[in-house]
Every structure is written in C-alpha cells, then in structure tokens.
Amino acid sequence: MKVQKNQQYMNLSQAMYLNLLLEILQATNDSNGEPTVIYSILQANLNKLDDNLAAVLRSWATTNLPQEEPEDAWAIAADIVNLSNRFAQFNLGNRGSNLEIAIAGYETSLAVFTRNVSPQDWATTKNNLGNAYRDRIQGERSNNLEVAISCYKEALQVRTREQFPEQWAATKNNLGTAYGDRIYGERAENLEVAISCYKEALQVRTREQFPEQWAATKNNLAIAYSDRVSGERKDNLQTSILCYNDALQVYTLEQFPERWAAIQNNLGTAYYSAFWGEQSEFQESAINCYTKALQVYTPNHFPEDWGMTKNNLGNAYRTRLLGERSSNLETAISCYTEALQVYTCEDFTDNHAATSFNLGLAYRNSQQFENAYTTFTHTINIVDSLRSKIVFGDEARQKLAEQYNRVYQNIIEICLELNEYTKAIEYIDRSKARSIVELLAAKTFYPKRDSYSNENDYQKACDQLDQLQRKITTKQRELEIITRNRDSEKKNYDYVVQLQQELSYLQQQWNQIFGEIHKVDPSFKLNQQIDPISFSQIQTLIDSRTCLVILHITDKQIIAFIITRNNRDPIVWKYSAKDRDISMNRAFAYLRLYYRKRSNWWRTQLVSRLQNLAKILHIEEIFSHLPTDCDRLILIPHRVLHLLPLHALPIYSDETGSFCLLDKFPRGVQYAPSCQILQLTQNQQRPNLHKLFAIQNPTNDLSYANLEVETICSFFSSTQILVQQTATKAALNTDRNLKEARCIHFSCHGLFNLASPLESALFLTNEERLTLGEIFGLDLSKCYLVTLSACETGLTNFASFSDEYIGLPSGFIYAGSTNVVSSLWKVNDLSTAFLMIKFYQNLQAVTSVAVALNQAQLWLRDITKAQLKAWITANSLPLDPTMWQNLNKRLYKLQDDQKPFQDPFHWAAFCAIGQ
C-alpha cells in the first residue's frame, strides 16, 4: 500500500506536518507497525510531534478514508491504529501531544472500523481510545475519564467473556482503573465499581495462565481496597495488604525490579494507613517497605519515584511512635527536603504541593512556626496556581479545594500561634467560597476595547465568550448531577455521552473564540490569577460606622474577628475548645431537629435555641467591644453558621422586651460569603430599580402568593409577571425581560437538596424545577436584587469544608445579581407575604436591601393585631373575602395589642446577602 498526498493539504503551514504523517504511515505499513522503526522516525522529529500533527492527521484521515475503496480504507485505518498505539506508548517529546495524536488516530479510524462491519477491530480501537482518554493530559481530567469509561463500556458490548475472555478481562481491568480515578459521582460508589471490575477480571486472569496480568490486577485491586470508602477501614486495609503480597509473588526484585519497588511503596502506604492493633508495628512495616523500594528507586534512575517514596517515608517518620519524637521529625524534614529536590514546582507541580504541605506539617509539629508559615504560604500559592489552570470544570476545582483545605486550616492556625491576626483574616478569606470568587472574577477578564477596530467587534467577542461560558457551566453542572447519582447515570447513559460531546464542542468553540481574541491582544491570558484581598482592602469595604465580623471554625476553636474602618488591628475573640464543641453540637442538633421534625416541635424550640446559642457565643459580650457609633453590621459566617439566623440572636433584655442584633444596627445586618465576594458585588453598580420580573405562584397552591406579587407590582413602573401556568422553564429561559430586569422576585416553592446541592431548586409549573445548576447559566448582569420568597432558598452546603457556600444565592450572585434575599427554613405563606410587601415598600424610601429587609422584619415582629389590620386597610391590600376570612381565623384569639408574628419563625428566616 502506498499512501497518497492530497493537494489541498499542501499549503505552507501544513506541508511539513503532512510530509511527516505520510512518512510514518508508510513506515508503519512497510514494517507492520514495528516499534523500533516508528520510534526512530519519531525521535528524529520530536519538534514536530505537537497538536498541529494531531490536527493534520484528523483532517487528512477524515477527508481521505471515505474516498478509498473499502479494502484500502481498512488497510489505512489499520495503519493509523498501529501508529496511534505507538504514539500512545511513546515516552519522548510532549506526552500530552503524543496522546492527542493517538486520540485523533483512534477516533478517525472508527469511521472505517464500525461495529457492524469490523466488530473486533471496533472494540479493540474503543478500548485503546479509552486508554488514551484515561491517560490524557489536555482537557478536563473529569471529562476525559467519562469518555474513557464510555469507550470501555462500548468495547465490552463486543468483548464478552464468552467469546473473547482474555480481551474482556483486559477491558474490565481498564474500566476498573478508570472508575478508581473517576472524579464525577460518589467516590464510594466509583470504588465499588472498580473493585467489582478487578474481581471479574481475575476470574480469567489467573496466576496459572496469566501470571503477570494476574499480578497487575491484584495490584490494582489492592489500590482500590486501600482507597475504599465503604466497609470497615481495618478490613479494607487487610485485604489490600494481602493483595499486594500476592502480587509480590510474581513481581520479584530479581525479575521485575521496577514493579517490585512500586508495590513495596504501595504496600508501605497500606501499612502506614493501618490504624488497628499495634499502630507502631504497622508504622515500622511501612518504613521497612519504603526503605526496600529505595533500593531500586534512586534519584539518578527513577527520580520521580524516588521523590514519591521519600515523601512517603517522611510521612511515616513524621507520625512515628517509636524513637525520639524530635529525631523522627528531623528525619521527616530531611526526607521531604530531599523529595522537593526532584519534585520541582515547574516539573511536578502537584507532587511539589503535596510534599511542601507535608513539610509544613513537620515544621509545625516540631514547633518551628516561622518555617511552617513560610512553607504553607508557598504551598498555598502553588495550589492557587493549580486551580487557575483548570479552565473548565468546577467539580475538578472542588476536588482540588477539598484536597488542600487542610493547608488553609493549618496556616490560619499558625497565624494565630504567631499572633498574626491580619494575616489569619487574609487566609481565611482566601479559603472561603473560592469557586464562586473565581467564577465572578473570570467574568471581568475581557479583552481590551482598544484592541478592536470598533465597539461592535469588542462587544461581540465579550458576549460570545460570556454566553459560551454560561452554557459550559450549565452543562458541567448537569453532568455532575447525573453522574453523582449512579442509578440516574445507568438510566441516562446515552444522555451522559451526549452531554460529554456537547461539552467538548462548547469548549472547542470557547477556545476558538479565545484564539481569535489572543491574535488581536496577545497579552490577554486564558487564566487570570486572582489577587487575594488584603486586610487594608477589607477595611475599605466598610465605612466608619460599619463593623464587619468574620466567624471562623477551626478543628480546635471558633474565632471571631471584628473589623472596623479605622482600627489598624482587628478585635479578636477566641472561644474555648469547650465553647466550640458545645456550639457545634447545638448547631447540628438544631439541624437534625429541623430535618427530622419539620413541625411545631421544631418551631417551638427555635427561641430557646437562639437564646442558648447567643450565650454560648457570648454575643452580648463580643458586641460590647464594638464602637458606640457602629450602626451597621456585615456578617461572614463559616460552615454550619451560614444556616443560622445570626441576625436574630438576642443580645439583651429589659422591661420593654428582648432585643436582637437587628435592634442594635439600624443601618442593617447583612451577610456575605466572603470579603472578596463583597468587594466584587460592591464594584457592580446597578442604579434604577424600576423594572420588575416576577414568578407568581406557579404551583397554584400558595394562598397569599398572588396577593404578595400583585401588591409588589404596584411599586414598579415596569413589570413582567409569569403567573401560575405561564411560569414554565421555557418561558423563563426565552423571556428577554428577565435579562433586562433590575429586580427579580420568585414567589413559589423552593427546596435545598442537602445530599446533592446542585439539585436544589425553585419550583415552576408542571412540576418543572429551576435547579442551581441551571441558575448558573442565567444572564442577570443588569440585576440589582433577586428575592427568593420561597422555602430553604438560603441554605448552603455546610458539609463541604473547602467551599461551603454552595446554594441558590451563590448561583444568582454568579448569574449577575448584586443582592439576594433568601430564607433559612420552610416559611409561612401569610407572614412571608406581609414581610415581602413591607420590604418592597421600604425599598421605595431606602436604597439598602439590608435596611429595607431588616426594617420589615422588625416591623413584622412588633406589629400588633390592630396595627396589622389598619396597615392592610391603609395600603388597600387586595384581600378577597376568603383571604379576610382566613386571616380573621388566624387572629381571632389574639387581643388587639398582641403581636401575631412575634415568633422568630415568622420574621427571622430571611437574610440579605451581597452588596
């Protein structure tokens, strides 16, 4: 066979790559894919093994294969697959580009190797394509693994155990590896699938028939059991150790020194992780295994593996029980320092960050706090650079954040040890709500106006990037929701594949438009580093009469930082470990009561629980330290504290009644996820509140929602309302008034999904839901206020230690709104309607959302029965006879001077978040 050139590819920019492609295809055909022949050509052309060659291969094959006779097309496709195999295994040059070339070859050959015509070739190519995507460096790791899993599953439709047992076992092993690495979905479930795949593979890969493959799969199974979440940790590690020892029966030092060393390292990690019986015994076994591995892993021959094993040995010495503590720590520090000589930041960024973190822990354990601070600071800078390199995929960012959350916690505690309180505040804020901060900041990184010949081109580029990013974000969240639910994933397998393809296409479009921008403005970068906010910048966010209070929970204590505009240093209140434990226990007890007993029992407990929490947190004493002229408060809670109505905490009582934080701050109590989000929202000026867009009672079962929305509309000169059955998802997504609205009001049902926060939603008509994942895709860039007059719209994912602000408010803030009003529990329809009407009425006189809301809350708390009726009449609220009758039934037992909504349940649920 002779490969022919196609003249349309012979332009100057492609000729060099096309000539190389045709040369190695011909060599592949002549030598039947002999590795030594192919690799000699590749080694001589390392400078041409890049993404351009992948693009030329894809274009050439796509154009030429359909033009060939079937027999010739099959032969060429076979050569392309053989060449792709060589590229996938080639270790010289750019590994990322080599895999891109292999992927291009596998994917284009599948046009010839179809399942109907060549099922075995199709399955083999699918399996190899899965391997390439599993190892792929470019693109999102999470998406690549999903494609790999899809490829393996498709290959197994042909590679059945009955017909092709050896190939079936190989693909099962590969599928297990992909599930073991998988990012999407629940980690515990993914590992169970991996274990199941390995066990099935071992039914064919027996030691007698396939000893090397048996040992390889045994090693994989050991890794999966070592990482396993389900089951008893002790039992999993015992199984892992047994599997490693099985593999060592084949992978001996004499015959397979490199694999032997790898298993010794893994076995050491399993021993290190063992926490049953005599812990010191297993620590010594780990040290012994790591030391054995270092017989093979030397810095000259296996530098990366040597660095990994040195890091692991450092971990074992850092936590060692036998020997002198100081001596063990010095050995650990020495191991980490040696490992960092190989794990340079430039070449091994991930490993460098992990080892640097471990070194920081060793310094902290040895009371070398200054060295610990310097090391943790370095680690955090690396972690932030890693996050910035993840262009798409918040799931990947979240996994990275969870992995390195302990770095932030440690440096915060080091700062407290050194009495560096302003530094502690800066790192606290740097660690909070990072995903939404990065998303918000990224929206401002558009090309320079003067780089374009006219304003229309500039605006077009900005709009295209923004629209594509929103679509990508929405698709990513939809894919995450499905793949987190294993049953849902099985039912929607074809849709998952479709989503992955759509994501890939959108990302290609995004990159293409970015490339066009970059040609005009080369200084424009794909990833912009976000500068953390400094303490002095935090102070500029508040005026001289405002106090900002940051509440932060560590493993040992709660710290309250009180920041004012003019004080050089914050006021710091450290809670004892006992107070910390009691307050956390009470908070979680409150949540358990709420989720298990959503009834009057929960409501009747609310007042006493707020009183107890105020005492435990020493609220009255803390706020006695505030300047006397402070009349505005911004709260930045942490973790579970986001879910509590801190603005309703009682601070003192006298003969006239009890007073809470709202009474003390007449210019408002508001919340923010972090100081940096506060800064970003404050920078967005949205004057003019005349345009309202509202969703009104879409489920038609909220008795007072119609009254609420109809009355609110009277406060606006321009309104667009989707009423009941018209409030569909399609109408919401296509109505241009939503994008133009300054105020958006949802009067409907809401739900926070604690198990899967991205599925938290607002309910529309016909049982449709507007999920958090979809909210991220909305464009509300002109919106000043979103009011969520619904249940549980302010709850957040307190279970996420790294980025605890995941809830409906974060979605609307990202979508563009500078303020969000949301609720912390299932609210009452009647009292909520009155509260919302008064809130919007107040907004006509004050510009602050927090002040308008707080004034409405205090009004609702203090209004008497007689005053309420007078207010209804004075404002001509459109209560029909049925509403009046229902209202009178609720109020008839009360005296005229009694307060029907005094209970915090009625007025305290709503919070003002944002600007």
Side-chain angles (χ1 to χ4, degrees):
M1 181 208 72
K2 186 173 181 180
V3 180
Q4 299 294 324
K5 295 183 180 180
N6 188 311
Q7 292 300 316
Q8 66 174 305
Y9 291 95
M10 293 305 293
N11 57 62
L12 290 176
S13 63
Q14 295 176 322
M16 176 178 65
Y17 290 100
L18 182 60
N19 287 335
L20 174 60
L21 171 64
L22 299 180
E23 178 187 353
I24 52 180
L25 275 176
Q26 189 66 58
T28 302
N29 178 262
D30 294 341
S31 67
N32 196 28
E34 173 59 37
T36 55
V37 174
I38 306 304
Y39 288 159
S40 64
I41 299 175
L42 298 185
Q43 191 165 356
N45 292 274
L46 292 177
N47 63 325
K48 301 184 189 72
L49 306 186
D50 56 29
D51 292 357
N52 291 319
L53 183 58
V56 168
L57 169 57
R58 190 179 294 276
S59 298
W60 182 88
T62 303
T63 302
N64 282 271
L65 285 175
Q67 300 175 10
E68 299 287 344
E69 293 296 323
E71 185 175 340
D72 292 335
W74 191 95
I76 295 173
D79 288 336
I80 291 174
V81 168
N82 282 336
L83 179 60
S84 297
N85 293 340
R86 301 287 80 80
F87 268 107
Q89 298 161 5
F90 191 54
N91 293 323
L92 300 180
N94 186 302
R95 175 67 173 156
S97 294
N98 291 344
L99 287 169
E100 293 305 302
I101 298 167
I103 288 171
Y106 290 136
E107 289 181 339
T108 53
S109 67
L110 286 168
V112 176
F113 291 159
T114 64
R115 183 179 176 183
N116 292 333
V117 176
S118 304
Q120 293 184 48
D121 295 319
W122 174 83
T124 299
T125 306
K126 278 286 184 178
N127 177 78
N128 295 346
L129 180 61
N131 291 341
Y133 267 104
R134 186 191 63 203
D135 298 336
R136 192 185 188 202
I137 296 171
Q138 296 185 20
E140 278 300 308
R141 175 73 171 150
S142 55
N143 293 337
N144 291 338
L145 287 169
E146 295 306 301
V147 175
I149 289 170
S150 297
C151 289
Y152 294 139
K153 287 181 177 179
E154 289 178 291
L156 288 169
Q157 295 172 14
V158 172
R159 288 184 156 190
T160 63
R161 182 179 178 182
E162 294 73 24
Q163 289 187 292
F164 307 101
E166 189 174 347
Q167 293 85 350
W168 172 83
T171 303
K172 275 287 183 179
N173 180 78
N174 294 339
L175 182 61
T177 304
Y179 266 105
D181 294 340
R182 194 184 191 203
I183 295 171
Y184 282 125
E186 290 296 328
R187 179 69 172 151
E189 293 183 0
N190 289 336
L191 286 168
E192 292 307 300
V193 176
I195 288 170
S196 176
C197 288
Y198 294 139
K199 286 183 175 179
E200 288 181 280
L202 287 169
Q203 295 172 14
V204 172
R205 290 183 157 188
T206 63
R207 183 180 178 185
E208 294 73 26
Q209 288 188 290
F210 306 100
E212 288 186 47
Q213 293 88 339
W214 173 82
T217 304
K218 276 283 186 178
N219 178 67
N220 292 341
L221 183 60
I223 294 171
Y225 267 107
S226 183
D227 295 338
R228 193 185 189 200
V229 178
S230 303
E232 290 291 330
R233 181 69 172 151
K234 169 185 173 181
D235 296 337
N236 291 336
L237 289 170
Q238 284 179 328
T239 303
S240 176
I241 289 169
L242 289 172
C243 289
Y244 283 132
N245 282 316
D246 284 344
L248 287 171
Q249 296 174 25
V250 174
Y251 289 146
T252 62
L253 173 61
E254 295 73 24
Q255 289 187 292
F256 304 95
E258 189 174 349
R259 291 186 178 182
W260 175 86
I263 295 175
Q264 288 290 355
N265 176 76
N266 293 343
L267 180 58
T269 301
Y271 277 124
Y272 175 74
S273 302
F275 291 108
W276 74 92
E278 292 294 328
Q279 187 181 18
S280 61
E281 174 188 338
F282 293 101
Q283 286 179 328
E284 297 308 303
S285 296
I287 290 171
N288 182 49
C289 289
Y290 294 140
T291 304
K292 284 182 179 179
L294 290 170
Q295 295 175 29
V296 175
Y297 289 158
T298 62
N300 293 329
H301 293 94
F302 301 99
E304 185 176 354
D305 296 316
W306 177 81
M308 171 188 64
T309 308
K310 276 286 184 179
N311 173 74
N312 294 341
L313 185 59
N315 290 338
Y317 272 105
R318 178 171 55 83
T319 57
R320 192 185 188 198
L321 296 177
L322 298 181
E324 288 292 329
R325 177 69 169 152
S326 59
S327 176
N328 288 336
L329 287 171
E330 285 305 312
T331 302
I333 290 170
S334 177
C335 287
Y336 295 138
T337 304
E338 288 180 286
L340 288 171
Q341 294 173 10
V342 171
Y343 281 161
T344 61
C345 189
E346 296 76 19
D347 297 327
F348 302 100
T349 310
D350 289 359
N351 295 330
H352 183 91
T355 304
S356 179
F357 171 58
N358 292 334
L359 178 60
L361 291 176
Y363 279 132
R364 183 183 178 186
N365 292 340
S366 60
Q367 304 291 299
Q368 300 181 50
F369 294 129
E370 293 290 350
N371 286 338
Y373 176 82
T374 301
T375 305
F376 285 136
T377 300
H378 174 68
T379 308
I380 285 173
N381 291 334
I382 299 169
V383 172
D384 282 354
S385 72
L386 286 172
R387 286 171 65 90
S388 71
K389 291 175 184 176
I390 304 175
V391 182
F392 303 109
D394 294 315
E395 175 74 1
R397 287 177 181 266
Q398 186 68 14
K399 296 288 185 183
L400 184 67
E402 290 171 358
Q403 183 179 356
Y404 286 107
N405 174 57
R406 288 177 58 213
V407 187
Y408 283 102
Q409 293 302 320
N410 273 276
I411 199 168
I412 290 165
E413 291 174 6
I414 290 292
C415 289
L416 295 174
E417 290 279 0
L418 297 172
N419 294 324
E420 293 282 356
Y421 296 127
T422 59
K423 289 292 184 185
I425 289 170
E426 290 171 358
Y427 280 112
I428 286 170
D429 202 75
R430 194 167 170 177
S431 70
K432 291 170 67 67
R434 287 295 294 167
S435 294
I436 186 65
V437 167
E438 289 162 344
L439 286 169
L440 277 170
K443 291 167 64 177
T444 66
F445 295 143
Y446 288 125
K448 301 172 184 176
R449 287 176 182 268
D450 57 11
S451 300
Y452 285 82
S453 57
N454 60 65
E455 181 73 16
N456 288 335
D457 288 343
Y458 166 80
Q459 194 59 50
K460 182 180 178 181
C462 292
D463 289 345
Q464 286 178 320
L465 278 179
D466 187 59
Q467 290 169 10
L468 284 169
Q469 181 60 69
R470 291 179 186 280
K471 290 179 181 177
I472 288 168
T473 303
T474 303
K475 294 291 183 185
Q476 286 171 336
R477 280 162 171 74
E478 190 175 357
L479 182 62
E480 182 182 344
I481 289 169
I482 294 176
T483 53
R484 277 186 179 275
N485 186 322
R486 192 166 160 190
D487 292 334
S488 176
E489 181 191 3
K490 290 178 180 177
K491 295 176 184 176
N492 298 280
Y493 172 73
D494 292 337
Y495 185 53
V496 168
V497 174
Q498 178 186 334
L499 275 177
Q500 292 162 352
Q501 293 171 343
E502 291 174 357
L503 255 178
S504 177
Y505 177 66
L506 288 169
Q507 290 171 359
Q508 290 173 14
Q509 286 185 298
W510 198 99
N511 289 331
Q512 180 180 353
I513 294 173
F514 168 78
E516 294 170 0
I517 294 171
H518 199 265
K519 289 178 183 176
V520 178
D521 180 13
S523 65
F524 180 60
K525 295 180 180 179
L526 186 61
N527 298 297
Q528 302 285 348
Q529 190 72 33
I530 300 170
D531 294 328
I533 192 169
S534 66
F535 181 75
S536 59
Q537 290 174 317
I538 292 172
Q539 287 184 296
T540 64
L541 302 177
I542 54 180
D543 57 36
S544 59
R545 291 160 46 210
T546 300
C547 285
L548 190 152
V549 177
I550 299 173
L551 295 165
H552 186 75
I553 302 170
T554 73
D555 291 337
K556 296 179 179 179
Q557 59 185 330
I558 299 176
I559 309 105
F561 299 93
I562 302 172
I563 303 169
T564 60
R565 177 64 181 258
N566 299 321
N567 287 356
R568 197 174 77 173
D569 297 311
I571 301 168
V572 181
W573 181 280
K574 295 182 182 179
Y575 295 88
S576 67
K578 180 180 178 182
D579 282 342
R580 185 259 186 209
D581 293 341
I582 293 174
S583 59
M584 292 295 286
N585 289 338
R586 293 287 176 85
F588 283 114
Y590 161 85
L591 292 174
R592 285 194 297 270
L593 189 66
Y594 175 73
Y595 280 105
R596 294 177 184 175
K597 298 283 185 181
R598 298 184 187 184
S599 64
N600 288 333
W601 186 27
W602 167 79
R603 287 179 49 183
T604 56
Q605 294 273 324
L606 183 58
V607 172
S608 63
R609 289 184 178 275
L610 290 175
Q611 291 172 343
N612 289 334
L613 185 60
K615 291 178 181 177
I616 296 166
L617 294 177
H618 304 279
I619 290 296
E620 186 174 351
E621 190 172 354
I622 287 176
F623 285 99
S624 68
H625 293 285
L626 268 56
T628 55
D629 62 346
C630 178
D631 58 1
R632 176 171 172 248
L633 178 66
I634 302 175
L635 291 168
I636 300 183
H638 188 211
R639 290 171 56 184
V640 71
L641 297 179
H642 277 293
L643 280 61
L644 303 175
L646 302 179
H647 57 278
L649 290 177
I651 49 177
Y652 66 92
S653 300
D654 59 24
E655 63 278 359
T656 61
S658 297
F659 297 88
C660 67
L661 288 185
L662 292 186
D663 294 285
K664 184 174 177 63
F665 300 98
R667 284 204 302 140
V669 177
Q670 68 186 80
Y671 295 81
S674 72
C675 295
Q676 197 147 40
I677 290 180
L678 183 64
Q679 182 187 53
L680 289 167
T681 55
Q682 284 186 357
N683 289 338
Q684 299 172 4
Q685 298 301 317
R686 305 282 165 78
N688 189 333
L689 303 181
H690 67 280
K691 289 186 177 181
L692 172 72
F693 184 95
I695 297 293
Q696 178 180 323
N697 195 14
T699 51
N700 198 25
D701 60 349
L702 297 171
S703 302
Y704 294 91
N706 296 330
L707 165 70
E708 174 182 307
V709 177
E710 289 168 12
T711 306
I712 289 170
C713 286
S714 66
F715 302 129
F716 293 86
S717 59
S718 173
T719 60
Q720 172 65 24
I721 317 299
L722 296 182
V723 181
Q724 294 175 5
Q725 291 298 312
T726 64
T728 64
K729 189 181 293 187
L732 185 70
N733 290 332
T734 57
D735 198 317
R736 295 185 59 85
N737 291 287
L738 177 67
K739 186 175 181 179
E740 297 296 320
R742 293 337 189 239
C743 289
I744 300 172
H745 185 89
F746 286 86
S747 186
C748 59
H749 288 293
L751 174 69
F752 179 72
N753 190 323
L754 188 62
S756 179
L758 285 175
E759 294 185 81
S760 302
L762 298 167
F763 290 73
L764 303 176
T765 192
N766 300 325
E767 300 183 355
E768 293 181 340
R769 297 186 178 191
L770 179 66
T771 66
L772 173 57
E774 293 167 326
I775 290 168
F776 273 93
L778 298 177
D779 180 4
L780 307 180
S781 54
K782 296 182 180 180
C783 183
Y784 175 73
L785 167 66
V786 170
T787 302
L788 306 177
S789 181
C791 299
E792 301 183 341
T793 52
L795 299 184
T796 58
N797 183 20
F798 64 91
S800 173
F801 285 78
S802 59
D803 203 341
E804 83 277 13
Y805 204 73
I806 302 174
L808 294 174
S810 67
F812 283 107
I813 288 172
Y814 171 71
S817 181
T818 56
N819 294 278
V820 178
V821 170
S822 56
S823 64
L824 297 176
W825 53 73
K826 291 179 72 71
V827 294
N828 175 267
D829 184 20
L830 172 64
S831 55
T832 297
F834 290 149
L835 176 68
M836 289 296 141
I837 292 169
K838 186 64 176 177
F839 165 54
Y840 281 94
Q841 193 176 47
N842 292 343
L843 269 180
Q844 310 311 301
V846 298
T847 56
S848 167
V849 171
V851 172
L853 177 63
N854 295 167
Q855 288 179 353
Q857 290 172 309
L858 293 176
W859 168 85
L860 186 65
R861 181 193 68 180
D862 296 335
I863 196 167
T864 65
K865 172 182 175 180
Q867 290 170 336
L868 177 65
K869 288 187 174 183
W871 176 78
I872 292 172
T873 302
N875 288 276
S876 303
L877 298 191
L879 271 71
D880 59 33
T882 302
M883 288 183 182
W884 270 115
Q885 184 178 11
N886 291 336
L887 179 61
N888 287 327
K889 283 183 180 179
R890 295 194 185 198
L891 302 179
Y892 83 98
K893 290 184 179 180
L894 300 178
Q895 300 297 318
D896 284 349
D897 61 349
Q898 287 185 279
K899 301 174 181 179
F901 304 118
Q902 190 174 20
D903 192 311
F905 166 76
H906 289 289
W907 58 267
F910 287 91
C911 304
I913 302 159
Q915 193 180 76

